[in-house]
């Protein structure tokens, strides 16, 4: 059997085409593998962010957050264990500030309302609690600058009964937004007032100072438990937010340092 010149050229062309196909397949596989590896790197980074920030509960006993400068981007976002509508609440925290203007101490928003719960320390004196557009201001409680303030506020949606405590002193009861439970996934922020769900921060409303021992309950806890909190003694920790097992992220210039409260 003899081969013509055309047959030889066809064989060489076929051989080259085969080699080219193999090279293209290898190149494709290599490029495809590189894409997969890059995708996996991004996925691992995202998982690190999620589980590094929210995956573990941190015991912040003896620690505090410091927000030393007025900004619109320094905040602490807290992850609360909210599984049902909030029909009552108690929020406690200790704070230290030297700023005289209005400051947001606690902000809870849901997708339907950016001001479901907002607590503000006012420049003209007093603590202002806002529940879904209704507010009450309570004066006559300790609000000293350059000193630690231990604060608790309670609210019952069925009756609207609201009380505030500061450094062991209790306010008279007020009525605020009865028959208005809070529904939806909450966005809970320290250091800023939420103008929108999870954002809308304004520097002039930000908190500047130290904050520690933040707890939140989905009930009105007893006065005895509040007194124990005020005194820094053993009390039942919050079931929504627990400073001793807290999930959080920080943004901007927020520092976590040893607390000097109880030193």
């Amino acid at each position: 059997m003899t081969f013509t010149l055309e047959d030889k050229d066809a064989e060489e062309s076929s051989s080259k085409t085969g080699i080219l196909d193999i090279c293209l397949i290898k190149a494709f596989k290599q490029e495809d593998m590189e894409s997969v590896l890059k995708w996996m790197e991004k996925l691992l980074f995202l998982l690190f962010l999620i589980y590094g920030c929210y995956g573990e509960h941190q015991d912040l006993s003896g620690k505090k957050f410091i927000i030393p400068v007025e900004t619109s981007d320094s905040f602490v976002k807290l992850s609360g264990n909210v599984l049902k509508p909030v029909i009552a609440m108690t929020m406690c925290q200790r704070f230290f500030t030297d700023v005289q203007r209005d400051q947001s101490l606690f902000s809870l928003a849901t997708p339907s309302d950016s001001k479901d719960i907002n607590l503000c320390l006012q420049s003209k004196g007093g603590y202002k609690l806002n529940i879904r557009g209704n507010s009450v201001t309570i004066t006559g409680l300790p609000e000293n600058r350059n000193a630690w303030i231990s604060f608790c506020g309670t609210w019952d949606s069925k009756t609207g009964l609201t009380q505030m405590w500061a450094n062991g002193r209790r306010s008279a009861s007020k009525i605020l937004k009865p028959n208005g439970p809070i529904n939806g996934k909450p966005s809970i922020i320290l250091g800023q007032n939420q103008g929108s769900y999870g954002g809308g921060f304004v520097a002039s409303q930000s908190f500047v100072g130290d904050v520690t021992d933040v707890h939140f309950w989905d009930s009105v806890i007893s006065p005895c438990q509040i007194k124990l909190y005020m005194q820094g003694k053993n009390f039942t920790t919050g079931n929504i937010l627990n400073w001793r097992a807290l999930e959080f992220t920080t943004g901007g210039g927020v520092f976590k340092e040893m607390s000097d409260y109880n030193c």
Side-chain angles (χ1 to χ4, degrees), residues 3 20 27 33 53 99 108 132 140-141 152 158 162 165 187 204 228 248-249 260 263:
F3 292 94
L20 180 61
M33 184 60 70
C53 295
V99 176
L108 186 152
R132 292 211 159 182
L141 296 178
C152 290
K158 293 181 179 179
T162 301
W165 301 64
S187 168
S204 61
L228 289 174
F248 67 92
T249 54
D260 58 318
C263 285

Side-chain angles (χ1 to χ4, degrees), residues 90-189:
T90 303
M91 190 283 296
C92 294
Q93 65 171 268
R94 309 186 205 280
F95 66 89
F96 185 110
T97 184
D98 65 349
V99 176
Q100 293 292 336
R101 60 168 173 74
D102 290 359
Q103 299 184 77
S104 177
L105 297 177
F106 184 88
S107 176
L108 186 152
T110 60
S112 62
D113 197 323
S114 64
K115 299 188 184 302
D116 272 310
I117 301 175
N118 183 54
L119 175 68
C120 176
L121 175 64
Q122 296 193 294
S123 61
K124 60 185 180 182
Y127 298 91
K128 182 179 181 180
L129 179 62
N130 183 301
I131 303 288
R132 292 211 159 182
N134 291 258
S135 64
V136 62
T137 298
I138 291 180
T139 59
L141 296 178
E143 52 184 79
N144 302 356
R145 277 19 179 212
N146 287 313
W148 279 107
I149 300 293
S150 295
F151 179 91
C152 290
T154 67
W155 171 72
D156 187 332
S157 72
K158 293 181 179 179
T159 61
L161 282 172
T162 301
Q163 283 187 335
M164 298 185 194
W165 301 64
N167 287 358
R169 289 174 56 185
R170 177 181 66 82
S171 73
S173 297
K174 303 294 183 180
I175 296 293
L176 175 61
K177 191 66 174 179
N179 302 315
I182 294 170
N183 298 282
K185 183 178 180 180
S187 168
I188 304 174
I189 299 290

Side-chain angles (χ1 to χ4, degrees), residues 58-64 212-213 242-245 258-259:
Q58 296 190 39
D59 184 353
L60 297 183
S61 298
K63 301 292 181 61
K64 65 180 178 181
T212 188
D213 293 343
N242 179 0
W243 192 254
R244 301 172 190 172
M258 295 298 296
S259 175

Side-chain angles (χ1 to χ4, degrees), residues 51-93:
Y51 289 101
C53 295
Y54 285 109
E56 296 182 2
H57 293 77
Q58 296 190 39
D59 184 353
L60 297 183
S61 298
K63 301 292 181 61
K64 65 180 178 181
F65 290 121
I66 303 174
I67 306 176
V69 180
E70 176 183 306
T71 71
S72 62
D73 62 0
S74 296
F75 64 90
V76 181
K77 182 175 178 61
L78 307 179
S79 179
N81 181 31
V82 180
L83 303 177
K84 56 185 179 180
V86 177
I87 60 173
M89 71 95 182
T90 303
M91 190 283 296
C92 294
Q93 65 171 268

